[in-house]
Amino acid sequence: MVLDRIFQEPTLVMLKKGIEGTNRRHEAISNNIANVDTPNYQRATVSFESALKRARSGIGFAGKTTDPRHFDIGGAMMLEMVSPRVGIDNNTRFRPDRNNINIDEEMAALAQNTMRNEAFTELLKRRFEGLSSTIREAGATG
């Protein structure tokens, strides 16, 4: 029961969602790069940051449950509902073969996305290290 609450902590859920979003974006960018020479291919995009921000802004709001069968509303539940959205970029200019991939932009996006993923992962690692340290200290004194 205590572990369930720890893993539903909004910070942990937000970091997990950040990792999921950057992983999904990595897949889309990789597919874009792989299809740079495929006629009629339109680049895929992934968005999740704005949904994550909106959900995070609602963290202070949480409904009160009066029965164990009730669903939690607000808090981590709002973050848990965030999922990356995959879209197709129809706003860029097409090459003569109707492919709209710019390999330089995709490589830059891949590098930026990799750094974001590493940042989310590092923050999550630090959070778990802090929890682990707290558990060890509690075990040593208990």
Side-chain angles (χ1 to χ4, degrees):
M1 196 69 149
V2 172
L3 282 179
D4 289 341
R5 292 207 182 266
I6 289 173
F7 291 118
Q8 290 176 355
E9 178 195 23
T11 302
L12 291 178
V13 175
M14 188 172 67
L15 292 171
K16 178 184 115 181
K17 290 296 180 175
I19 292 169
E20 288 174 4
T22 54
N23 284 345
R24 189 74 180 266
R25 182 174 287 143
H26 186 90
E27 290 172 12
I29 295 169
S30 295
N31 283 334
N32 292 344
I33 292 169
N35 285 287
V36 68
D37 292 323
T38 303
N40 299 313
Y41 183 84
Q42 296 178 354
R43 73 184 285 273
T45 62
V46 174
S47 61
F48 67 94
E49 291 90 349
S50 60
L52 201 57
K53 286 178 186 175
R54 279 193 310 274
R56 189 180 72 196
S57 69
I59 287 176
F61 167 76
K64 180 179 179 184
T65 57
T66 56
D67 186 292
R69 295 172 292 179
H70 289 167
F71 291 108
D72 288 330
I73 57 172
M77 183 65 173
M78 291 176 76
L79 286 169
E80 203 55 66
M81 294 170 60
V82 172
S83 62
R85 293 182 55 137
V86 179
I88 300 298
D89 177 8
N90 294 316
N91 297 323
T92 58
R93 296 169 70 203
F94 294 104
R95 299 185 321 217
D97 66 358
R98 299 195 45 84
N99 180 309
N100 66 347
I101 302 294
N102 178 321
I103 192 67
D104 294 329
E105 288 178 11
E106 296 300 320
M107 295 303 288
L110 185 63
Q112 183 180 42
N113 190 62
T114 299
M115 287 189 294
R116 283 185 179 158
N117 184 276
E118 288 172 354
F120 282 125
T121 303
E122 180 63 26
L123 289 170
L124 187 62
K125 176 184 158 216
R126 289 181 187 180
R127 191 72 172 179
F128 279 128
E129 286 172 349
L131 289 170
S132 179
S133 175
T134 302
I135 292 168
R136 276 194 305 276
E137 289 174 16
T141 60

